[in-house]
Amino acid sequence: MQGHSRSVGRSPSAFTLVELLVVIGIISLLVAILLPSLGSARDTAKAAICASRQRNLAVGWNMYATENFDIIVPGRFGSDAGSNKYWVGNGWKYRPRWIAAMGSQLGLHPFSHPSEVKADGGDRQDYCNDTYACPSVPKWMDERNYAYGYNHQFLGNARNHPSGGYRNFPVRVGQVRTQSGTVMAADCLGTAAGYAESQRKPYSNDGVDLAARGNHAWCLDPPRLTASSDRGTGDAGSPRTAVDPRHRGKVTVSFCDSHVETRSPQELGYEMNADGQFTDAGHNRLFSSDGSDADPPAVW
């Protein structure tokens, strides 16, 4: 009787090393293909959230003017001989910047405990509500070194003028002739815009380094500056501020009629050197409030 032969070899369910390497290679290829798409989708989502949050700020901006006799909120209230205290919805605040000044209109208070005394931290508080954060730079919450810069030079520059009074305040909504074509606020790089890309430093909460990203970014200088115009921190010798194309090379911009767009710095009128430094050239047609390439108000 002939016996049955039994083959000797690997189990049908096992993989050879070559087959395993092929599977790993296919998985790696799929991951390489999908990652850029996932990254793009994530960036798109962040830009959409940023646009929604800026739109809320623009709505609050209009409500502030309606409730304050048509006067536009200044970038920051100037330093007066009085108490320098202003109501921000849930308390008194020392010289609030534009977002804090709109606290009552925004409905979500920027500070849980606003400070009315400069020496007690009133000059540098962090916004406490994520609604005011740009999702691409969520740590930029220092009210001075902030993510969104305000078109204060044309819309309400209440910095003290060297000869007395304010540099350009009050400004009324009726003076903004092209609300749909006038920038209210935008993603801002701060005074780091005045440096080459290679010279810029990381963001610093409570910092004062002019080259740090986000430094003094609550205020946004228009594209074209002159020798007599304000710039940056407002101090002599300060670098300029400019927009931050943090959303895949684009800037989220809110306009005075509350609509929001995404544009490149060049589309907004800015010009840069080859090293990334923003220059003082360009045009102010989207900042001037009347569609003209007007000079910023002179202060010196």
Side-chain angles (χ1 to χ4, degrees):
M1 187 173 183
Q2 188 176 6
H4 295 284
S5 63
R6 185 172 61 183
S7 62
V8 179
R10 65 184 178 88
S11 170
S13 62
F15 286 100
T16 66
L17 178 59
V18 173
E19 290 172 332
L20 186 59
L21 291 174
V22 169
V23 172
I24 292 174
I26 293 173
I27 293 174
S28 299
L29 180 61
L30 290 173
V31 170
I33 293 173
L34 291 174
L35 274 180
S37 298
L38 293 174
S40 177
R42 183 170 55 249
D43 291 341
T44 299
K46 288 181 179 180
I49 294 172
C50 178
S52 176
R53 291 175 177 177
Q54 283 204 42
R55 188 176 296 109
N56 289 338
L57 294 178
V59 170
W61 180 88
N62 278 284
M63 291 176 63
Y64 178 95
T66 299
E67 296 176 14
N68 286 275
F69 308 100
D70 206 37
I71 295 176
I72 296 173
V73 64
R76 188 186 188 189
F77 286 98
S79 179
D80 298 319
S83 64
N84 289 314
K85 294 189 300 183
Y86 299 84
W87 186 255
V88 295
N90 64 331
W92 296 97
K93 170 72 174 140
Y94 172 79
R95 294 185 60 205
R97 292 168 176 85
W98 62 289
I99 289 181
M102 300 188 301
S104 297
Q105 291 74 33
L106 293 172
L108 295 172
H109 300 134
F111 310 110
S112 56
H113 301 286
S115 176
E116 61 186 73
V117 182
K118 179 179 181 180
D120 191 32
D123 193 44
R124 297 289 293 271
Q125 289 188 272
D126 291 347
Y127 294 121
C128 68
N129 199 306
D130 289 342
T131 303
Y132 305 127
C134 173
S136 291
V137 287
K139 294 183 179 180
W140 293 25
M141 294 292 275
D142 177 354
E143 63 174 313
R144 176 185 183 274
N145 299 350
Y146 182 54
Y148 299 139
Y150 183 57
N151 179 18
H152 73 299
Q153 292 210 40
F154 285 104
L155 297 182
N157 190 350
R159 287 171 172 166
N160 297 96
H161 196 284
S163 61
Y166 304 112
R167 299 185 180 188
N168 185 29
F169 182 77
V171 179
R172 297 183 180 276
V173 171
Q175 295 174 245
V176 183
R177 299 180 183 176
T178 57
Q179 291 202 16
S180 63
T182 300
V183 171
M184 189 276 290
D187 299 326
C188 189
L189 185 59
T191 54
Y195 292 82
E197 175 69 32
S198 61
Q199 296 177 318
R200 293 172 189 160
K201 301 177 182 178
Y203 175 79
S204 175
N205 195 74
D206 294 330
V208 294
D209 192 327
L210 295 174
R213 296 175 184 273
N215 180 75
H216 224 278
W218 69 266
C219 61
L220 175 64
D221 289 333
R224 188 174 61 79
L225 301 179
T226 67
S228 62
S229 66
D230 196 359
R231 67 174 56 230
T233 66
D235 302 315
S238 171
R240 64 162 302 136
T241 66
V243 292
D244 184 9
R246 63 176 70 120
H247 299 291
R248 301 181 71 85
K250 297 287 188 175
V251 182
T252 301
V253 188
S254 48
F255 290 80
C256 291
D257 67 344
S258 300
H259 89 275
V260 178
E261 297 182 16
T262 302
R263 297 194 182 189
S264 69
Q266 292 80 4
E267 290 172 328
L268 292 170
Y270 289 92
E271 294 185 7
M272 293 175 282
N273 294 327
D275 60 8
Q277 179 184 20
F278 283 80
T279 70
D280 289 347
H283 68 78
N284 293 338
R285 290 192 288 273
L286 293 176
F287 286 77
S288 65
S289 77
D290 62 4
S292 69
D293 183 22
D295 291 346
V299 296
W300 304 113

